[in-house]
Amino acid sequence: MIFITLTGLIILIIFFFIVTYNKLIKEKLYVKESFSTIDTYLKKRYDLIPNLVSTIKGYKEYESQTLEKIVSARNGYMGSTSPEDKIKNENNFSEIFTRIFALQESYPDLKANENFLTLQNQLNKIEEDILQARKYYNGCVRNYNISCETFPNIIIAKIFHFEKYSFFIIEDLEEKQNVKINF
């Protein structure tokens, strides 16, 4: 009788380990998939940047520094390999990127430029997609981190080295404010 009880208990413990491990793996894959979605949208946005820069180049004087910083920030992101580096470089890029649309205030012809307006509309759509992807990523990270930190899952997470993920947070207070774009 004791043998049957111990065998049943061992089977339950093994079953618990398998179910919890699989849940953690599934949630970890959701986090990776959701970050991959953000990465795809960001690459799409960065692919539009050379077109935007070439459209604006005709209007540059002191703005050449801004354009150089944008290209440099874009290249920094494209060279990033880890999610943490990509998040850091994305925050850096976003801060610089908001300056582009401020240029149109200095150049009324730029406001009316069809290429600029088309690129601006495409970028606005991509920004909305990025926002939604960030929300999904942060939700996946939240669920995964909760699973890794709650008892009894924390035992399996520690045994198999499931590490917490960072949220995609806008760090700069200036970036959290609305960008003023006047038409």
Side-chain angles (χ1 to χ4, degrees):
M1 183 71 153
I2 295 175
F3 177 72
I4 294 173
T5 306
L6 285 177
T7 303
L9 186 60
I10 290 172
I11 290 173
L12 282 175
I13 291 171
I14 290 172
F15 182 73
F16 167 75
F17 265 79
I18 291 170
V19 168
T20 304
Y21 180 82
N22 287 339
K23 178 183 177 193
L24 291 171
I25 289 292
K26 182 174 90 173
E27 289 179 353
K28 184 176 184 178
L29 290 175
Y30 283 148
V31 170
K32 288 182 178 185
E33 178 263 337
S34 62
F35 188 81
S36 177
T37 301
I38 293 174
D39 198 31
T40 301
Y41 284 129
L42 291 174
K43 284 180 183 176
K44 186 175 178 181
R45 180 175 71 179
Y46 292 133
D47 288 343
L48 288 174
I49 298 303
N51 296 331
L52 190 63
V53 167
S54 66
T55 301
I56 295 173
K57 273 188 179 178
Y59 300 91
K60 73 172 187 169
E61 286 178 15
Y62 80 93
E63 289 81 3
S64 63
Q65 291 176 348
T66 301
L67 297 175
E68 288 171 10
K69 287 179 184 175
I70 288 170
V71 170
S72 175
R74 174 191 180 265
N75 293 338
Y77 179 86
M78 298 301 274
S80 301
T81 54
S82 72
E84 290 79 17
D85 286 343
K86 287 184 180 211
I87 290 170
K88 178 183 171 200
N89 284 317
E90 164 56 18
N91 285 333
N92 182 36
F93 178 83
S94 292
E95 181 181 321
I96 296 167
F97 184 70
T98 56
R99 297 178 194 165
I100 280 186
F101 295 113
L103 291 178
Q104 68 181 336
E105 292 302 313
S106 301
Y107 300 103
D109 292 341
L110 183 59
K111 281 188 199 180
N113 183 297
E114 190 174 321
N115 289 338
F116 181 78
L117 293 174
T118 301
L119 289 168
Q120 186 178 26
N121 289 334
Q122 289 176 352
L123 287 168
N124 286 337
K125 172 69 173 117
I126 291 172
E127 290 301 320
E128 290 174 18
D129 293 340
I130 291 169
L131 175 66
Q132 295 305 317
R134 283 179 181 165
K135 287 180 184 178
Y136 179 66
Y137 171 79
N138 284 339
C140 290
V141 167
R142 178 198 63 227
N143 293 341
Y144 172 77
N145 288 347
I146 288 171
S147 290
C148 286
E149 293 181 6
T150 55
F151 185 80
N153 296 359
I154 193 169
I155 298 167
I156 288 101
K158 295 272 186 198
I159 291 171
F160 292 104
H161 306 288
F162 284 93
E163 301 294 325
K164 287 176 44 178
Y165 280 90
S166 300
F167 289 101
F168 206 122
I169 298 172
I170 297 174
E171 295 174 3
D172 189 357
L173 184 60
E174 179 182 317
E175 189 176 337
K176 292 180 182 180
Q177 298 173 359
N178 287 337
V179 177
K180 292 182 172 85
I181 301 174
N182 297 320
F183 295 100

